[in-house]
Structures are given as C-alpha cells and as structure tokens.
Amino acid sequence: MKIPPFVLASASPARRRLLQTVGIEPIVRASDFDESQIELSEPAELVKTLAQYKAETVAPQFESALIMGCDSVLAMNGEIYGKPADTTDAIARWQIMQGNFGDLYTGHALIDLSQNRTIVKSQVTRVYFAQMSEKAIKAYVATGEPLKCAGAFAIEGFGSFFVEKIEGCHTNVIGLSLPLLRQMLGELGYDATDFWQ
C-alpha cells in the first residue's frame, strides 16, 4: 500500500509537535471551520462532529492524503468549555477549575482519500487541577497561554504547574491522542511506523 501524505487540519502548534515527536511530519492546513454553527450538549459527540467537519473542510484540497481533524473541550460540572473568550473569562474559569477536576475530550477524525474511508473517535482524560491563589490564577492568565487552549490551560506549558495529576492518555490533553491515532491508522491498514520520515 502506498503511504499517502499526512495532513493535519489544524493550526495547533501543539498537535503538530506531537506528530513530529513520533516521526510524522504533517502538511498543516488549518480548516478555519466556523465552530459556532455546531451546538451539541454532549462533549464526546461535539468534539467528534467538529473534528470531522474540520477534516472534511480541508479534504477537497488534496487528491490522495490522510487528513486528520481534531477538536478538544473541557467538560466540568455539566458545562462544556472551549477556548476562553478573553482574560476575564479565563480568570473566572480558573476560579472554578482550581482544586477541582474536569474531563478533557478530544475528537479525532481521519479521512483516507485513497480508500474513501473516514474513521471518527473520541478520547477522554480526567485532569485534576491544583488549589491556586488569586495571584497565581492572574499570573497564569497574564502569560496569554490559557487564551489559546481548550479548557484554558496547556499541560505542555506554564499550565503544567497547576495540573496535579491526570487519569488516561497524556497526549490527549495536549490535543491529539497518539495511542488512538495508532489504532485508527491500523483500522485503515497502515502501521504507524509507515509514516516515519
């Protein structure tokens, strides 16, 4: 089987770095899909739907490729949180998150254009947040990092200071579950090592 180019339908530098870490050098094509038009109250369904739309938006740009779309949200106390709107929103969220836990959902959609097949799955990881002072919350939000991330934190950045522990897949919290990607590639007939540069 000919190994197609691997396309990441996401502008996320963290997702790109994850793929590069395991030897996949993706072609990056941000989908620019308008997420606000999708309203679902179940987090796993929401992230799967958004991931699929992102991949499908990019797919017409290629004849033969594997297109990966992803989307992440944090679910907590029955609420679903994507990226915070602004610093005020981020501070308010951290006042709820600190000393608490949430479930980080990431949807993964993989379109194989050569086989005309699409696989869509989600992964969930439980994240436990540290008790934080108001000073620490404001200082973290002032870094700007929380404004770029679903759930208002980056476990691979300053936010790692404030994550006590996680239950489940570590890379899922960064935005792409590498074990799940390996399984999805296997379902399409590829070995993950086929993509090593």
PDB file of all heavy atoms in Angstrom, residues 76-108:
ATOM      1  N   MET A  76     -16.878  20.085  32.655  1.00  0.00           N
ATOM      2  CA  MET A  76     -16.773  20.215  34.108  1.00  0.00           C
ATOM      3  C   MET A  76     -18.118  20.627  34.679  1.00  0.00           C
ATOM      4  O   MET A  76     -18.716  21.597  34.186  1.00  0.00           O
ATOM      5  CB  MET A  76     -15.714  21.281  34.389  1.00  0.00           C
ATOM      6  CG  MET A  76     -15.245  21.356  35.794  1.00  0.00           C
ATOM      7  SD  MET A  76     -13.833  22.492  35.827  1.00  0.00           S
ATOM      8  CE  MET A  76     -12.842  21.666  37.011  1.00  0.00           C
ATOM      9  N   ASN A  77     -18.586  19.892  35.652  1.00  0.00           N
ATOM     10  CA  ASN A  77     -19.868  20.224  36.308  1.00  0.00           C
ATOM     11  C   ASN A  77     -20.996  20.411  35.292  1.00  0.00           C
ATOM     12  O   ASN A  77     -21.826  21.308  35.430  1.00  0.00           O
ATOM     13  CB  ASN A  77     -19.744  21.499  37.164  1.00  0.00           C
ATOM     14  CG  ASN A  77     -18.620  21.417  38.171  1.00  0.00           C
ATOM     15  OD1 ASN A  77     -18.325  20.342  38.687  1.00  0.00           O
ATOM     16  ND2 ASN A  77     -17.967  22.528  38.442  1.00  0.00           N
ATOM     17  N   GLY A  78     -21.010  19.601  34.241  1.00  0.00           N
ATOM     18  CA  GLY A  78     -22.069  19.682  33.252  1.00  0.00           C
ATOM     19  C   GLY A  78     -21.912  20.789  32.224  1.00  0.00           C
ATOM     20  O   GLY A  78     -22.754  20.952  31.349  1.00  0.00           O
ATOM     21  N   GLU A  79     -20.843  21.574  32.338  1.00  0.00           N
ATOM     22  CA  GLU A  79     -20.574  22.651  31.368  1.00  0.00           C
ATOM     23  C   GLU A  79     -19.491  22.201  30.400  1.00  0.00           C
ATOM     24  O   GLU A  79     -18.612  21.425  30.758  1.00  0.00           O
ATOM     25  CB  GLU A  79     -20.088  23.920  32.090  1.00  0.00           C
ATOM     26  CG  GLU A  79     -21.129  24.568  32.977  1.00  0.00           C
ATOM     27  CD  GLU A  79     -22.183  25.329  32.186  1.00  0.00           C
ATOM     28  OE1 GLU A  79     -21.851  25.916  31.148  1.00  0.00           O
ATOM     29  OE2 GLU A  79     -23.347  25.327  32.623  1.00  0.00           O
ATOM     30  N   ILE A  80     -19.548  22.712  29.161  1.00  0.00           N
ATOM     31  CA  ILE A  80     -18.520  22.423  28.165  1.00  0.00           C
ATOM     32  C   ILE A  80     -17.745  23.709  27.890  1.00  0.00           C
ATOM     33  O   ILE A  80     -18.333  24.745  27.582  1.00  0.00           O
ATOM     34  CB  ILE A  80     -19.144  21.901  26.849  1.00  0.00           C
ATOM     35  CG1 ILE A  80     -19.850  20.564  27.084  1.00  0.00           C
ATOM     36  CG2 ILE A  80     -18.072  21.749  25.770  1.00  0.00           C
ATOM     37  CD1 ILE A  80     -20.569  20.021  25.867  1.00  0.00           C
ATOM     38  N   TYR A  81     -16.417  23.614  28.012  1.00  0.00           N
ATOM     39  CA  TYR A  81     -15.569  24.790  27.819  1.00  0.00           C
ATOM     40  C   TYR A  81     -14.585  24.578  26.675  1.00  0.00           C
ATOM     41  O   TYR A  81     -13.804  23.624  26.694  1.00  0.00           O
ATOM     42  CB  TYR A  81     -14.760  25.076  29.095  1.00  0.00           C
ATOM     43  CG  TYR A  81     -15.599  25.370  30.310  1.00  0.00           C
ATOM     44  CD1 TYR A  81     -15.715  24.444  31.343  1.00  0.00           C
ATOM     45  CD2 TYR A  81     -16.268  26.586  30.432  1.00  0.00           C
ATOM     46  CE1 TYR A  81     -16.482  24.715  32.470  1.00  0.00           C
ATOM     47  CE2 TYR A  81     -17.043  26.863  31.557  1.00  0.00           C
ATOM     48  CZ  TYR A  81     -17.144  25.925  32.573  1.00  0.00           C
ATOM     49  OH  TYR A  81     -17.894  26.194  33.674  1.00  0.00           O
ATOM     50  N   GLY A  82     -14.628  25.485  25.700  1.00  0.00           N
ATOM     51  CA  GLY A  82     -13.601  25.513  24.663  1.00  0.00           C
ATOM     52  C   GLY A  82     -12.559  26.537  25.077  1.00  0.00           C
ATOM     53  O   GLY A  82     -12.196  26.631  26.251  1.00  0.00           O
ATOM     54  N   LYS A  83     -12.092  27.321  24.131  1.00  0.00           N
ATOM     55  CA  LYS A  83     -11.135  28.385  24.461  1.00  0.00           C
ATOM     56  C   LYS A  83     -11.884  29.521  25.161  1.00  0.00           C
ATOM     57  O   LYS A  83     -13.001  29.851  24.771  1.00  0.00           O
ATOM     58  CB  LYS A  83     -10.481  28.932  23.186  1.00  0.00           C
ATOM     59  CG  LYS A  83      -9.538  27.953  22.525  1.00  0.00           C
ATOM     60  CD  LYS A  83      -8.985  28.528  21.233  1.00  0.00           C
ATOM     61  CE  LYS A  83      -8.162  27.463  20.512  1.00  0.00           C
ATOM     62  NZ  LYS A  83      -7.842  27.853  19.133  1.00  0.00           N
ATOM     63  N   PRO A  84     -11.267  30.139  26.182  1.00  0.00           N
ATOM     64  CA  PRO A  84     -11.927  31.275  26.832  1.00  0.00           C
ATOM     65  C   PRO A  84     -12.022  32.474  25.889  1.00  0.00           C
ATOM     66  O   PRO A  84     -11.182  32.651  25.004  1.00  0.00           O
ATOM     67  CB  PRO A  84     -11.017  31.591  28.027  1.00  0.00           C
ATOM     68  CG  PRO A  84      -9.725  30.919  27.756  1.00  0.00           C
ATOM     69  CD  PRO A  84      -9.971  29.810  26.804  1.00  0.00           C
ATOM     70  N   ALA A  85     -13.053  33.284  26.094  1.00  0.00           N
ATOM     71  CA  ALA A  85     -13.305  34.432  25.212  1.00  0.00           C
ATOM     72  C   ALA A  85     -12.265  35.530  25.406  1.00  0.00           C
ATOM     73  O   ALA A  85     -11.854  36.190  24.463  1.00  0.00           O
ATOM     74  CB  ALA A  85     -14.701  34.984  25.472  1.00  0.00           C
ATOM     75  N   ASP A  86     -11.847  35.730  26.674  1.00  0.00           N
ATOM     76  CA  ASP A  86     -10.896  36.805  26.992  1.00  0.00           C
ATOM     77  C   ASP A  86     -10.292  36.525  28.366  1.00  0.00           C
ATOM     78  O   ASP A  86     -10.581  35.494  28.978  1.00  0.00           O
ATOM     79  CB  ASP A  86     -11.602  38.174  26.961  1.00  0.00           C
ATOM     80  CG  ASP A  86     -12.875  38.196  27.825  1.00  0.00           C
ATOM     81  OD1 ASP A  86     -12.915  37.469  28.841  1.00  0.00           O
ATOM     82  OD2 ASP A  86     -13.822  38.918  27.476  1.00  0.00           O
ATOM     83  N   THR A  87      -9.466  37.454  28.860  1.00  0.00           N
ATOM     84  CA  THR A  87      -8.789  37.234  30.147  1.00  0.00           C
ATOM     85  C   THR A  87      -9.787  37.128  31.304  1.00  0.00           C
ATOM     86  O   THR A  87      -9.605  36.309  32.200  1.00  0.00           O
ATOM     87  CB  THR A  87      -7.773  38.366  30.450  1.00  0.00           C
ATOM     88  OG1 THR A  87      -8.430  39.624  30.346  1.00  0.00           O
ATOM     89  CG2 THR A  87      -6.610  38.338  29.478  1.00  0.00           C
ATOM     90  N   THR A  88     -10.846  37.925  31.275  1.00  0.00           N
ATOM     91  CA  THR A  88     -11.864  37.874  32.338  1.00  0.00           C
ATOM     92  C   THR A  88     -12.494  36.482  32.394  1.00  0.00           C
ATOM     93  O   THR A  88     -12.680  35.909  33.472  1.00  0.00           O
ATOM     94  CB  THR A  88     -12.961  38.939  32.085  1.00  0.00           C
ATOM     95  OG1 THR A  88     -12.321  40.197  31.900  1.00  0.00           O
ATOM     96  CG2 THR A  88     -13.922  39.022  33.248  1.00  0.00           C
ATOM     97  N   ASP A  89     -12.815  35.949  31.221  1.00  0.00           N
ATOM     98  CA  ASP A  89     -13.398  34.608  31.116  1.00  0.00           C
ATOM     99  C   ASP A  89     -12.411  33.556  31.636  1.00  0.00           C
ATOM    100  O   ASP A  89     -12.780  32.647  32.375  1.00  0.00           O
ATOM    101  CB  ASP A  89     -13.759  34.344  29.646  1.00  0.00           C
ATOM    102  CG  ASP A  89     -14.552  33.048  29.463  1.00  0.00           C
ATOM    103  OD1 ASP A  89     -15.212  32.607  30.421  1.00  0.00           O
ATOM    104  OD2 ASP A  89     -14.507  32.483  28.350  1.00  0.00           O
ATOM    105  N   ALA A  90     -11.144  33.698  31.261  1.00  0.00           N
ATOM    106  CA  ALA A  90     -10.119  32.733  31.681  1.00  0.00           C
ATOM    107  C   ALA A  90      -9.937  32.738  33.209  1.00  0.00           C
ATOM    108  O   ALA A  90      -9.828  31.681  33.837  1.00  0.00           O
ATOM    109  CB  ALA A  90      -8.793  33.027  30.986  1.00  0.00           C
ATOM    110  N   ILE A  91      -9.939  33.919  33.798  1.00  0.00           N
ATOM    111  CA  ILE A  91      -9.804  34.028  35.265  1.00  0.00           C
ATOM    112  C   ILE A  91     -11.013  33.384  35.952  1.00  0.00           C
ATOM    113  O   ILE A  91     -10.868  32.602  36.893  1.00  0.00           O
ATOM    114  CB  ILE A  91      -9.643  35.502  35.701  1.00  0.00           C
ATOM    115  CG1 ILE A  91      -8.259  36.029  35.279  1.00  0.00           C
ATOM    116  CG2 ILE A  91      -9.839  35.658  37.211  1.00  0.00           C
ATOM    117  CD1 ILE A  91      -8.083  37.538  35.384  1.00  0.00           C
ATOM    118  N   ALA A  92     -12.207  33.680  35.434  1.00  0.00           N
ATOM    119  CA  ALA A  92     -13.436  33.109  36.016  1.00  0.00           C
ATOM    120  C   ALA A  92     -13.410  31.586  35.930  1.00  0.00           C
ATOM    121  O   ALA A  92     -13.800  30.892  36.875  1.00  0.00           O
ATOM    122  CB  ALA A  92     -14.660  33.664  35.290  1.00  0.00           C
ATOM    123  N   ARG A  93     -12.914  31.061  34.821  1.00  0.00           N
ATOM    124  CA  ARG A  93     -12.845  29.606  34.667  1.00  0.00           C
ATOM    125  C   ARG A  93     -11.887  28.980  35.668  1.00  0.00           C
ATOM    126  O   ARG A  93     -12.179  27.959  36.263  1.00  0.00           O
ATOM    127  CB  ARG A  93     -12.362  29.261  33.261  1.00  0.00           C
ATOM    128  CG  ARG A  93     -13.437  29.529  32.255  1.00  0.00           C
ATOM    129  CD  ARG A  93     -13.442  28.433  31.249  1.00  0.00           C
ATOM    130  NE  ARG A  93     -13.904  28.985  29.996  1.00  0.00           N
ATOM    131  CZ  ARG A  93     -13.502  28.590  28.833  1.00  0.00           C
ATOM    132  NH1 ARG A  93     -12.609  27.649  28.730  1.00  0.00           N
ATOM    133  NH2 ARG A  93     -13.998  29.105  27.746  1.00  0.00           N
ATOM    134  N   TRP A  94     -10.713  29.610  35.812  1.00  0.00           N
ATOM    135  CA  TRP A  94      -9.723  29.054  36.736  1.00  0.00           C
ATOM    136  C   TRP A  94     -10.211  29.121  38.186  1.00  0.00           C
ATOM    137  O   TRP A  94      -9.829  28.286  39.005  1.00  0.00           O
ATOM    138  CB  TRP A  94      -8.359  29.743  36.557  1.00  0.00           C
ATOM    139  CG  TRP A  94      -7.524  28.977  35.579  1.00  0.00           C
ATOM    140  CD1 TRP A  94      -7.323  29.253  34.263  1.00  0.00           C
ATOM    141  CD2 TRP A  94      -6.826  27.760  35.848  1.00  0.00           C
ATOM    142  NE1 TRP A  94      -6.536  28.281  33.697  1.00  0.00           N
ATOM    143  CE2 TRP A  94      -6.209  27.358  34.641  1.00  0.00           C
ATOM    144  CE3 TRP A  94      -6.649  26.972  36.981  1.00  0.00           C
ATOM    145  CZ2 TRP A  94      -5.430  26.206  34.537  1.00  0.00           C
ATOM    146  CZ3 TRP A  94      -5.878  25.816  36.885  1.00  0.00           C
ATOM    147  CH2 TRP A  94      -5.275  25.447  35.678  1.00  0.00           C
ATOM    148  N   GLN A  95     -11.072  30.094  38.496  1.00  0.00           N
ATOM    149  CA  GLN A  95     -11.639  30.153  39.847  1.00  0.00           C
ATOM    150  C   GLN A  95     -12.526  28.934  40.100  1.00  0.00           C
ATOM    151  O   GLN A  95     -12.626  28.452  41.224  1.00  0.00           O
ATOM    152  CB  GLN A  95     -12.405  31.472  40.037  1.00  0.00           C
ATOM    153  CG  GLN A  95     -11.456  32.660  40.172  1.00  0.00           C
ATOM    154  CD  GLN A  95     -12.145  34.006  39.985  1.00  0.00           C
ATOM    155  OE1 GLN A  95     -13.238  34.099  39.409  1.00  0.00           O
ATOM    156  NE2 GLN A  95     -11.508  35.064  40.458  1.00  0.00           N
ATOM    157  N   ILE A  96     -13.139  28.407  39.023  1.00  0.00           N
ATOM    158  CA  ILE A  96     -13.950  27.182  39.133  1.00  0.00           C
ATOM    159  C   ILE A  96     -13.063  25.935  39.081  1.00  0.00           C
ATOM    160  O   ILE A  96     -13.259  24.972  39.823  1.00  0.00           O
ATOM    161  CB  ILE A  96     -14.985  27.118  37.979  1.00  0.00           C
ATOM    162  CG1 ILE A  96     -15.969  28.294  38.066  1.00  0.00           C
ATOM    163  CG2 ILE A  96     -15.740  25.793  37.982  1.00  0.00           C
ATOM    164  CD1 ILE A  96     -16.781  28.514  36.799  1.00  0.00           C
ATOM    165  N   MET A  97     -12.068  25.957  38.186  1.00  0.00           N
ATOM    166  CA  MET A  97     -11.231  24.773  37.952  1.00  0.00           C
ATOM    167  C   MET A  97     -10.285  24.456  39.103  1.00  0.00           C
ATOM    168  O   MET A  97     -10.045  23.286  39.415  1.00  0.00           O
ATOM    169  CB  MET A  97     -10.395  24.981  36.671  1.00  0.00           C
ATOM    170  CG  MET A  97     -11.226  24.891  35.401  1.00  0.00           C
ATOM    171  SD  MET A  97     -10.460  25.715  33.974  1.00  0.00           S
ATOM    172  CE  MET A  97      -8.885  24.876  33.845  1.00  0.00           C
ATOM    173  N   GLN A  98      -9.720  25.480  39.720  1.00  0.00           N
ATOM    174  CA  GLN A  98      -8.703  25.238  40.748  1.00  0.00           C
ATOM    175  C   GLN A  98      -9.262  24.379  41.881  1.00  0.00           C
ATOM    176  O   GLN A  98     -10.376  24.601  42.344  1.00  0.00           O
ATOM    177  CB  GLN A  98      -8.104  26.558  41.241  1.00  0.00           C
ATOM    178  CG  GLN A  98      -9.050  27.514  41.931  1.00  0.00           C
ATOM    179  CD  GLN A  98      -9.059  27.354  43.441  1.00  0.00           C
ATOM    180  OE1 GLN A  98      -8.123  26.821  44.044  1.00  0.00           O
ATOM    181  NE2 GLN A  98     -10.125  27.796  44.070  1.00  0.00           N
ATOM    182  N   GLY A  99      -8.497  23.364  42.269  1.00  0.00           N
ATOM    183  CA  GLY A  99      -8.929  22.451  43.328  1.00  0.00           C
ATOM    184  C   GLY A  99     -10.007  21.480  42.897  1.00  0.00           C
ATOM    185  O   GLY A  99     -10.599  20.779  43.712  1.00  0.00           O
ATOM    186  N   ASN A 100     -10.277  21.418  41.591  1.00  0.00           N
ATOM    187  CA  ASN A 100     -11.366  20.613  41.061  1.00  0.00           C
ATOM    188  C   ASN A 100     -10.809  19.691  39.976  1.00  0.00           C
ATOM    189  O   ASN A 100      -9.613  19.660  39.733  1.00  0.00           O
ATOM    190  CB  ASN A 100     -12.425  21.563  40.478  1.00  0.00           C
ATOM    191  CG  ASN A 100     -13.827  21.000  40.546  1.00  0.00           C
ATOM    192  OD1 ASN A 100     -14.024  19.784  40.519  1.00  0.00           O
ATOM    193  ND2 ASN A 100     -14.819  21.884  40.611  1.00  0.00           N
ATOM    194  N   PHE A 101     -11.675  18.947  39.308  1.00  0.00           N
ATOM    195  CA  PHE A 101     -11.219  18.150  38.170  1.00  0.00           C
ATOM    196  C   PHE A 101     -12.211  18.293  37.028  1.00  0.00           C
ATOM    197  O   PHE A 101     -13.371  18.647  37.217  1.00  0.00           O
ATOM    198  CB  PHE A 101     -11.037  16.666  38.545  1.00  0.00           C
ATOM    199  CG  PHE A 101     -12.317  15.947  38.867  1.00  0.00           C
ATOM    200  CD1 PHE A 101     -13.099  15.394  37.861  1.00  0.00           C
ATOM    201  CD2 PHE A 101     -12.743  15.826  40.187  1.00  0.00           C
ATOM    202  CE1 PHE A 101     -14.287  14.739  38.161  1.00  0.00           C
ATOM    203  CE2 PHE A 101     -13.929  15.172  40.504  1.00  0.00           C
ATOM    204  CZ  PHE A 101     -14.697  14.628  39.486  1.00  0.00           C
ATOM    205  N   GLY A 102     -11.715  18.018  35.819  1.00  0.00           N
ATOM    206  CA  GLY A 102     -12.565  18.065  34.636  1.00  0.00           C
ATOM    207  C   GLY A 102     -12.165  16.962  33.676  1.00  0.00           C
ATOM    208  O   GLY A 102     -11.111  16.335  33.834  1.00  0.00           O
ATOM    209  N   ASP A 103     -13.004  16.721  32.685  1.00  0.00           N
ATOM    210  CA  ASP A 103     -12.726  15.697  31.676  1.00  0.00           C
ATOM    211  C   ASP A 103     -12.411  16.385  30.350  1.00  0.00           C
ATOM    212  O   ASP A 103     -13.229  17.143  29.832  1.00  0.00           O
ATOM    213  CB  ASP A 103     -13.923  14.755  31.516  1.00  0.00           C
ATOM    214  CG  ASP A 103     -14.133  13.904  32.758  1.00  0.00           C
ATOM    215  OD1 ASP A 103     -13.134  13.434  33.326  1.00  0.00           O
ATOM    216  OD2 ASP A 103     -15.296  13.726  33.180  1.00  0.00           O
ATOM    217  N   LEU A 104     -11.202  16.109  29.842  1.00  0.00           N
ATOM    218  CA  LEU A 104     -10.759  16.703  28.592  1.00  0.00           C
ATOM    219  C   LEU A 104     -11.090  15.730  27.457  1.00  0.00           C
ATOM    220  O   LEU A 104     -10.583  14.614  27.422  1.00  0.00           O
ATOM    221  CB  LEU A 104      -9.249  16.977  28.678  1.00  0.00           C
ATOM    222  CG  LEU A 104      -8.578  17.912  27.662  1.00  0.00           C
ATOM    223  CD1 LEU A 104      -8.561  17.377  26.265  1.00  0.00           C
ATOM    224  CD2 LEU A 104      -9.135  19.318  27.714  1.00  0.00           C
ATOM    225  N   TYR A 105     -11.964  16.148  26.575  1.00  0.00           N
ATOM    226  CA  TYR A 105     -12.371  15.326  25.426  1.00  0.00           C
ATOM    227  C   TYR A 105     -11.674  15.832  24.167  1.00  0.00           C
ATOM    228  O   TYR A 105     -11.666  17.042  23.914  1.00  0.00           O
ATOM    229  CB  TYR A 105     -13.889  15.439  25.194  1.00  0.00           C
ATOM    230  CG  TYR A 105     -14.738  14.756  26.220  1.00  0.00           C
ATOM    231  CD1 TYR A 105     -15.055  15.399  27.419  1.00  0.00           C
ATOM    232  CD2 TYR A 105     -15.253  13.478  26.002  1.00  0.00           C
ATOM    233  CE1 TYR A 105     -15.858  14.787  28.378  1.00  0.00           C
ATOM    234  CE2 TYR A 105     -16.056  12.857  26.954  1.00  0.00           C
ATOM    235  CZ  TYR A 105     -16.345  13.510  28.132  1.00  0.00           C
ATOM    236  OH  TYR A 105     -17.144  12.901  29.071  1.00  0.00           O
ATOM    237  N   THR A 106     -11.124  14.915  23.392  1.00  0.00           N
ATOM    238  CA  THR A 106     -10.591  15.288  22.078  1.00  0.00           C
ATOM    239  C   THR A 106     -11.213  14.375  21.028  1.00  0.00           C
ATOM    240  O   THR A 106     -11.170  13.148  21.164  1.00  0.00           O
ATOM    241  CB  THR A 106      -9.054  15.190  22.036  1.00  0.00           C
ATOM    242  OG1 THR A 106      -8.503  16.087  22.996  1.00  0.00           O
ATOM    243  CG2 THR A 106      -8.525  15.574  20.649  1.00  0.00           C
ATOM    244  N   GLY A 107     -11.803  15.014  20.017  1.00  0.00           N
ATOM    245  CA  GLY A 107     -12.339  14.276  18.876  1.00  0.00           C
ATOM    246  C   GLY A 107     -11.258  14.121  17.829  1.00  0.00           C
ATOM    247  O   GLY A 107     -10.446  15.026  17.625  1.00  0.00           O
ATOM    248  N   HIS A 108     -11.215  12.954  17.188  1.00  0.00           N
ATOM    249  CA  HIS A 108     -10.230  12.645  16.148  1.00  0.00           C
ATOM    250  C   HIS A 108     -10.976  12.140  14.919  1.00  0.00           C
ATOM    251  O   HIS A 108     -11.729  11.164  15.022  1.00  0.00           O
ATOM    252  CB  HIS A 108      -9.282  11.541  16.614  1.00  0.00           C
ATOM    253  CG  HIS A 108      -8.521  11.846  17.867  1.00  0.00           C
ATOM    254  ND1 HIS A 108      -9.135  11.967  19.097  1.00  0.00           N
ATOM    255  CD2 HIS A 108      -7.201  12.037  18.084  1.00  0.00           C
ATOM    256  CE1 HIS A 108      -8.212  12.231  20.013  1.00  0.00           C
ATOM    257  NE2 HIS A 108      -7.029  12.277  19.429  1.00  0.00           N
TER     258      HIS A 108
END
